[in-house]
Every structure is written in C-alpha cells, then in structure tokens.
Amino acid sequence: MTKSRLEGRVTVAGAKNSALRLLAASILTDAPVRLTNYPAGLLDAQIHVGMLEALGKSAETIGTDEIRITQAAPLSTQLVWPGRSIRNTLLILGTLTARYGAAAVPLPGGCRLGERQYDIHVSLLEQLGARVWDDESYLYAEAPNGLVGADVHLRLRSTGATENAVLAATLATGTTRVWNPHIRPEVLDLVAMLNSMGAKIVVHGQEHIEIEGVEALGAADYSVMPDNMEALTWLIATSVTGGEVEIAGFPVDDLEVVLAHLRSAGATYLQRDGALFVRGEHCYPFEISTGPHPGINSDVQPIMGAWAARARGESKIIDLRFPGRYGYADEMRKMGLTSRVDGDWLRIEGAGGKLSGASVRALDLRAGAALAICGLMADGETTVTDAWQISRGYVDFAEKLQSLGANAGWL
C-alpha cells in the first residue's frame, strides 16, 4: 500500500455486528431464516456459519449478500469447533440453552481488548434459572426444565450481554425484564427480526427491555442493517487523503454523535438520497471519550486515531469501556506518529499526515483498518501484517480501496 487519494463511489455492506447476532438467532427456530444485505465475505460471518453447520443447521449462501439457513433435525447441544473461536459463541450458549435446555461451547474468542470477561453472560443465564460452569476448554449451561423469566440486572451496559439476555428470554417461560441494557442500533435490529419471527419484545428506551416468552419462533426474511463502522471508515479514509467519495447506504441516523465530532474537526460532507458525499478538505485535532450509545463506540476510536495522524496538533482519546485499547498507536509510531499514554488518555500529536511507510501489525480488526488508512497517507510502502483481522469485519476491503484508486492489495 502506498500514498493514495480516494475518489469514486463505494457501497456499505451489511453490518458485521448485526449479522452475527441474527445468525445466532436462527438457532431459536427450526423454520427457514433468510437474510439479505448479508455480508457473506466477512471472515467472522463465515466462521459463525461453520459453527451453525457443526450444530446441524444447513446454510446456503446466494451471491455475495444473501444466506438461507434451514434445519431438518434437532441440533447438537455441544459445539465441537477446533478452529478459531469468536465471541459470538456466548450467544450460541444462550440460544441453545433457551431452545434445548443445555449447551456447551468453546471458551469465547474475538478481539483481545484488555480484560473482556464473560462473567456477565454467566450471570444473566443464572438469573434466568440456568446452571453455568466451565473447564479449561468449554463453557457449559444447563436448564433441564427450561429458562424462566426474571428481572435480569446487567452490571454494565454491555451490547453482547443485552443481546444474549434478549435471545435467551425469548423462549423462556413468563416475562423477563432486562435492566441497564445497552440499546444500540444492532440491538434494535436483532429485536426487530425476533419480533418478525413471533417474539414479543418491547424496548423501553435505555431503561429496560421487556420480553414475554413464547413457545416457539417462526421463519424470518430479514435485511441486515448497513455497517456503521465501515461507513465511518470510508468517511475518514476519504477525508484524510483529501479525496471525494460517495458512500452509498450511509446510516446517518445511527452515527449522529460521532458525525457531530467529525464535523467540528473539519469533516465536509453532504447527505442525499441515502448516501453521504464526502470531500476531504480539513482535519483538525479533536478530543473524544467513548461511551454507551448514542455516544462514541469503542470501535470508533482506532479509526479516529488515523484522523488524528492527519491533523496538526494534539488530539486526545479516552476509552472508558476498554481502557488500554491503544496498542495501535505503538504501531503508528513505527510510521513516525508521535503519541503517548497519559493515565487513561491517549494523546496523539498529529503532523499533517507526514508518515513514512513501514511494516505494521493489525492487533485487532479496527486497529488493522486504522493502520491501512495511515498507509494511504504515508510516503513509501506500508505493509499491514495479520491483515486477516481486517477481513473479520470488512467485505472486500482491499478491493474497495482499489476501486477508489488506492494502490492496495492483499499479499
């Protein structure tokens, strides 16, 4: 990858963080599930489909944006999966327990973002009447008489725990109220699909979610929401390279807060006909703090780190959800970026995008995308190793860059 200016048109794919949850929801029914605007090219989605097939589901991918999932016999309640795990195994645990009264899944994987434990998932299942335990390799849950509706109190606003509580409670006996949920667009997408299948779920703002358990769910024919993280990635990559790009399918309503910060930091864009037209003109320093929706999601801050590299002056980032998720800044320093961690703050001293190509490593999905954006600004060649991380959350990332005029490709 070498210095490039992005120009042209790009279309946002279906959201990774929604599609994976909708795949997990298919476990709750033996009726067919059809997903459109489905990001079939995502590595994590492919792994999740493989896990569903290992349980006994059949999956047919049609083209690049549709999947059909069917089931002819009861599923296995133990997921035997020798390959790389993803954190969505926790949702498989919840849905299998809700449907069959027992489950066993490999201990969860995914991005390593500091202390990211699964005790909150254990707690919510226990509050619904399950017994949960683990060993060195597996996490187990058991509810022989089925899950029972309850007041589920989440100790923190966790997106994954909110989704797991909703999924598990959908087939529980009685009424469940999930208190202190994290209501994000992806959670609302999951609720909408479950309700279309016959679930009875009502979201009461950020206060609580009420789920009246049903005996069974039916079929689903659902379109996955657009990926807000991919949309932001193209906006920021266009801005820092001084480009001009039309981003089709940009979910403006889901990103009001971060868009307000970007506009104050110099972003120039126009919304029209479901697209965002972006022109790269100015990149000014900023100060952001991550927090629950509608605040700035933790996934956003590495991408904002690339914006800070283009700005002149000091930008400040604090990640209250995953303190210490700043390893990407160490990789950016290899390209000449000046930064330091001051307590829980990351301070980045931008120099107008004056970076030098280097070999850097994608420590996680969003870090990989941020480093690729820096490579578009840098003089000389940049190589991002462990770039498979990027494929976990972006469909055809290098190919889309090429279509916008970037000198980029997979090695």
Side-chain angles (χ1 to χ4, degrees), residues 1-4 372 375-376 381-388 390-391 396-403 405-411:
M1 180 184 308
T2 57
K3 195 168 188 175
S4 304
L376 297 175
E381 184 174 274
T382 298
T383 301
V384 181
T385 62
D386 284 346
W388 61 269
I390 300 173
S391 297
D396 296 334
F397 185 72
E399 291 78 5
K400 288 183 177 181
L401 281 175
Q402 291 169 1
S403 74
N407 184 359
W410 300 110
L411 297 178

Side-chain angles (χ1 to χ4, degrees), residues 53-188:
E53 291 174 332
L55 292 172
K57 290 280 189 182
S58 297
E60 178 188 7
T61 302
I62 301 169
T64 60
D65 61 358
E66 181 179 339
I67 189 169
R68 298 179 184 179
I69 302 168
T70 56
Q71 179 182 333
L75 302 180
S76 169
T77 58
Q78 179 167 353
L79 174 60
V80 178
W81 185 256
R84 182 177 69 83
S85 182
I86 57 176
R87 198 166 177 79
N88 235 46
T89 54
L90 292 167
L91 303 190
I92 294 176
L93 182 80
T95 50
L96 283 176
T97 305
R99 179 110 188 266
Y100 296 105
V105 301
L107 294 178
C111 289
R112 295 186 177 274
L113 306 179
E115 294 299 320
R116 192 177 184 184
Q117 301 296 332
Y118 50 83
D119 60 304
I120 191 170
H121 294 265
V122 172
S123 173
L124 72 87
L125 289 173
E126 289 176 338
Q127 291 177 71
L128 292 170
R131 184 172 75 93
V132 187
W133 70 100
D134 62 22
D135 59 23
E136 292 183 357
S137 301
Y138 271 81
L139 186 60
Y140 304 87
E142 185 178 68
N145 298 317
L147 297 176
V148 179
D151 282 314
V152 173
H153 296 271
L154 302 180
R155 63 176 178 80
L156 55 83
R157 290 190 186 276
S158 162
T159 305
T162 299
E163 292 162 338
N164 212 356
V166 169
L167 287 163
T170 298
L171 298 182
T173 301
T175 300
T176 297
R177 292 178 180 85
V178 181
W179 298 93
N180 197 37
H182 191 191
I183 306 301
R184 289 191 48 77
E186 296 85 358
V187 172
L188 296 176

